[in-house]
């Protein structure tokens, strides 16, 4: 085999997802997800001063956990020690003095994903046919393996030969992983979960580094990413943008380190949650020479210029980025949209699966993207 298809697909979980991220809860998503993230960040502090305690209460109110440990969208887990006092007067106070005085956290409640949605996710993987597929928002390696072994057979395809996933930094179980097939063999794995800079932990999930030996002989290094999300914090997303900038800086450093070590063929894939012209992603493009496969003259956009929902240029947030040496071997690529829901009023309509008759049946909000590499070029 002299060709390799490298792809990226944000599956938005395969079997279950946080209830607040479901199709019918979009209006609740932003405040609940922001409160969940900030609460779990604050409770890591050694000491809870009055201002921190007040903010913790505000986030619990948003999560509807002030008067109960369980709400529609979240659960307050307490393993050891006392965190709250719920008074008969109706008031609730934070009594824990800091991280050492209690063990616990807030987790989001989950719900099963539609069986059709799971099947459509498998159909997308089958129809894209990537030999090396970066997977974003997979729950765990075990479930990714089960999905590959069972659902791909269910839709008439063979499972991937290798399934890789290392738990990342996101407590919601949305991790990044890699699937390989047709004798594309992972020979080295490196995690960057613990990478830090002066501001703390860098990656929201991981920048998972996989060295893949191809049947044609050359090795390709694939960095699978899911950068900090937009839309769940301060209006304008300044906090998220700063985090994505830090992440882009570190990815650029990893790419350049790999090139210094002699690796010419590197692909950065995944959901980067921003557009290529954004300030947040600027270090990734300006410091590495990476090129987006969508720049290729034989790239098939498939009706839209974005990858997220029906959005055009502002929704191009999923990527397969290639070093110049790898881009030179690319023969083309494209976007596969058949698992993305489109409403009846959508312009420039793309084909969807016939059985996808409702938004809850969508494989994902994200289209898959891929690049074709010819090693003989």
């Amino acid at each position: 085999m002299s060709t390799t298809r490298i792809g990226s697909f944000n599956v938005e979980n395969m079997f279950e997802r946080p209830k607040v991220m479901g199709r019918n809860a979009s209006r609740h998503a932003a405040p609940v997800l922001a409160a969940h993230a900030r609460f779990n960040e604050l409770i890591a502090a050694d000491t809870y001063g009055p201002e921190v305690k007040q903010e913790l209460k505000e986030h619990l109110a948003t999560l509807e956990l002030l008067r109960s440990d369980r709400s529609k969208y979240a659960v307050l887990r307490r393993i050891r020690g006392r965190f709250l006092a719920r008074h008969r007067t109706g008031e609730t106070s934070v009594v824990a003095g800091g991280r050492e005085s209690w063990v616990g956290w807030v987790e989001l409640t989950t719900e099963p994903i539609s069986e059709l949605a799971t099947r459509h996710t498998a159909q997308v993987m089958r129809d894209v046919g990537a030999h090396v597929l970066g997977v974003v928002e997979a729950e765990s390696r075990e479930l990714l393996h089960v999905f590959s072994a069972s659902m791909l057979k269910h839709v008439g395809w063979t499972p991937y030969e290798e399934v890789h996933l290392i738990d990342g930094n996101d407590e919601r179980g949305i991790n990044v992983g890699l699937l390989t097939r047709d004798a594309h063999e992972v020979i080295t794995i490196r995690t960057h979960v613990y990478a830090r800079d002066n501001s703390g932990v860098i990656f929201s999930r991981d920048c998972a580094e996989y060295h893949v030996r191809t049947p044609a002989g050359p090795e390709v290094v694939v960095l699978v990413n899911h950068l900090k999300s937009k839309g769940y914090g301060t209006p304008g997303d300044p906090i998220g943008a700063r985090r994505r900038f830090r992440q882009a800086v570190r990815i650029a450093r990893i790419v350049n380190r790999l090139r210094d070590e002699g690796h010419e063929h590197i692909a950065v894939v995944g959901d980067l949650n921003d557009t290529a012209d954004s300030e947040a992603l600027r270090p990734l493009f300006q410091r590495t020479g990476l090129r987006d496969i969508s720049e290729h003259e034989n790239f098939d956009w498939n009706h839209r210029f974005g990858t997220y929902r029906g959005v055009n240029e502002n929704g191009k947030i999923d990527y397969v980025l290639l070093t110049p040496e790898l881009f030179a071997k690319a023969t083309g690529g494209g976007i596969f949209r058949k698992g993305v829901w489109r409403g009846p009023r959508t312009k420039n309509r793309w084909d969807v699966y016939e059985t996808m008759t409702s938004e809850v049946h969508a494989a994902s909000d994200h289209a898959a993207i891929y690049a074709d590499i010819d090693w003989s070029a």
Side-chain angles (χ1 to χ4, degrees), residues 4 13 29 37-39 46 69 90 102 118 202 215 223 250 275 288 298 303 343 367:
T4 296
N13 299 74
R38 182 60 175 159
F39 179 90
D46 293 335
D69 285 354
W102 78 295
T118 300
I202 296 173
L223 302 174
R250 181 52 62 95
T275 55
T288 63
N298 294 326
H303 294 82

Side-chain angles (χ1 to χ4, degrees), residues 285 288-296 320-324 327-328:
F285 291 99
T288 63
L290 289 169
R291 297 187 63 184
D292 191 334
I293 188 57
S294 66
E295 300 174 24
H296 199 283
V320 176
L321 306 177
L322 310 174
T323 47
F327 191 91

